[in-house]
């Protein structure tokens, strides 16, 4: 079931925004994305694929199911998949309910998505459910800055308008704790501060969990 309802104006705005900026964002995250994604193989699911920022980090020939509820992302996503040689299936569903069988996929990718899904706990449980034993969850996410830091105060100040404009994107989510509480067999989580003009989202985590 798709519980996500993209706003016609903001849904289009976000598709345009990602298409315009993801080259720049990819340059900032290239080393990290290469490290996390280069070795992935088999059946791969990506939640919240957007316009396909991660496709160029996957091997040509990869089979990918993209769980992307915003229809305004789909045309660019398909075009990118063709350019990168990815065999793409788009499912306009929510990551909380992928409708994929349990223990069925080798890897799940999420970049800058757990901030936005309405229910991150249900999304993480769904990722854990669909991964086969030994399967990998790889992620890059922006998270809450340390309590009482200037960046956290900025995140608190911008929280409402940011979530409105970016369709639910929550600046101060404690995503690392949520990942650790999901019950993966192992969770390697690196905390870092990105150097970018997007100050409210520069506190980030990346890593790999094994199911
Ligand atoms: C900030 S964008 C990130 C896109 C892409 N992963 C990237 O790194 O450029 C967040 C994406 O999550 C998608 N999204 C929002 N709610 C979702 C949900 N419940 N399930 C799956 N994806 C969702 C949005 O449509 C959007 O494409």
């Amino acid at each position: 079931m798709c519980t996500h309802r993209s706003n016609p104006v903001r849904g289009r705005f976000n598709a345009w925004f990602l298409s315009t900026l993801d080259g720049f964002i990819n340059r900032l995250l290239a080393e990290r994305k290469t490290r996390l994604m280069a070795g992935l193989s088999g059946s791969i699911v990506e939640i919240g694929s957007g316009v396909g920022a991660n496709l160029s980090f996957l091997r040509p020939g990869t089979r990918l199911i993209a769980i992307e509820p915003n229809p305004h992302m789909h045309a660019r996503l398909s075009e990118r998949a063709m350019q990168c040689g990815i065999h793409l299936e788009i499912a306009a569903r929510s990551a909380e309910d992928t409708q994929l069988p349990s223990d069925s996929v080798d890897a799940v990718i999420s970049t800058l998505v757990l901030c936005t899904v309405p229910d991150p706990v249900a999304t993480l449980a769904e990722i854990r459910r669909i991964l086969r034993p030994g399967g990998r969850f790889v992620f890059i996410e922006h998270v809450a800055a340390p309590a009482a830091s200037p960046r956290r105060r900025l995140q608190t100040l911008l929280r409402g308008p940011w979530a409105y404009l970016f369709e639910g994107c929550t600046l101060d989510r404690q995503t690392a704790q949520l990942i650790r509480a999901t019950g993966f067999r192992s969770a390697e989580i690196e905390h870092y501060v990105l150097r970018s003009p997007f100050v409210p989202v520069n506190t980030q985590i990346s890593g790999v969990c094994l199911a």
Side-chain angles (χ1 to χ4, degrees):
M1 192 176 65
C2 184
T3 51
H4 177 95
R5 289 281 167 270
S6 204
N7 175 278
V9 176
R10 280 172 278 133
R12 280 192 179 82
F13 165 77
N14 282 306
W16 169 83
F17 182 81
L18 288 179
S19 299
T20 307
L21 276 183
D22 70 4
F24 175 68
I25 296 168
N26 266 351
R27 279 198 291 284
L28 298 174
L29 293 172
E31 189 271 327
R32 214 167 273 278
K33 287 192 175 187
T34 304
R35 197 158 21 104
L36 290 171
M37 294 176 210
L40 299 183
S41 62
S43 57
I44 304 179
V45 169
E46 180 176 29
I47 62 164
S49 303
V51 294
N54 296 323
L55 300 183
S56 61
F57 294 90
L58 300 174
R59 288 188 200 143
T62 295
R63 296 201 168 275
L64 183 75
I65 300 174
I67 308 290
E68 176 48 71
N70 180 348
H72 306 294
M73 304 283 184
H74 292 178
R76 180 81 184 110
L77 179 57
S78 300
E79 190 182 295
R80 274 255 178 90
M82 277 209 310
Q83 288 162 357
C84 297
I86 303 294
H87 303 293
L88 180 73
E89 181 189 325
I90 299 178
R93 298 187 199 129
S94 301
E96 289 90 339
D97 179 18
T98 63
Q99 294 173 32
L100 295 169
S102 299
D103 300 344
S104 65
V105 306
D106 295 297
V108 177
I109 300 169
S110 170
T111 66
L112 311 176
V113 178
L114 291 174
C115 52
T116 301
V117 294
D119 189 340
V121 173
T123 298
L124 284 160
E126 181 71 352
I127 292 168
R128 175 80 185 78
R129 183 186 72 73
I130 64 175
L131 278 171
R132 66 162 172 79
R136 289 174 166 244
F137 170 46
V138 302
F139 57 87
I140 296 176
E141 298 290 342
H142 68 80
V143 296
S149 64
R151 197 188 311 266
R152 179 64 169 274
R153 283 197 284 275
L154 181 65
Q155 289 176 335
T156 305
L157 188 73
L158 295 178
R159 196 176 196 278
W162 192 279
Y164 176 79
L165 184 61
F166 296 110
E167 299 203 286
C169 178
T170 306
L171 287 171
D172 53 358
R173 219 166 243 183
Q174 309 272 3
T175 303
Q177 282 94 318
L178 300 181
I179 291 173
R180 286 197 194 286
T182 301
F184 289 105
R185 189 152 57 87
S186 67
E188 271 174 38
I189 304 179
E190 187 185 340
H191 293 254
Y192 60 96
V193 180
L194 194 70
R195 289 164 65 99
S196 91
F198 308 112
V199 176
V201 296
N202 279 348
T203 36
Q204 301 196 350
I205 57 171
S206 71
V208 182
C209 298
L210 291 185

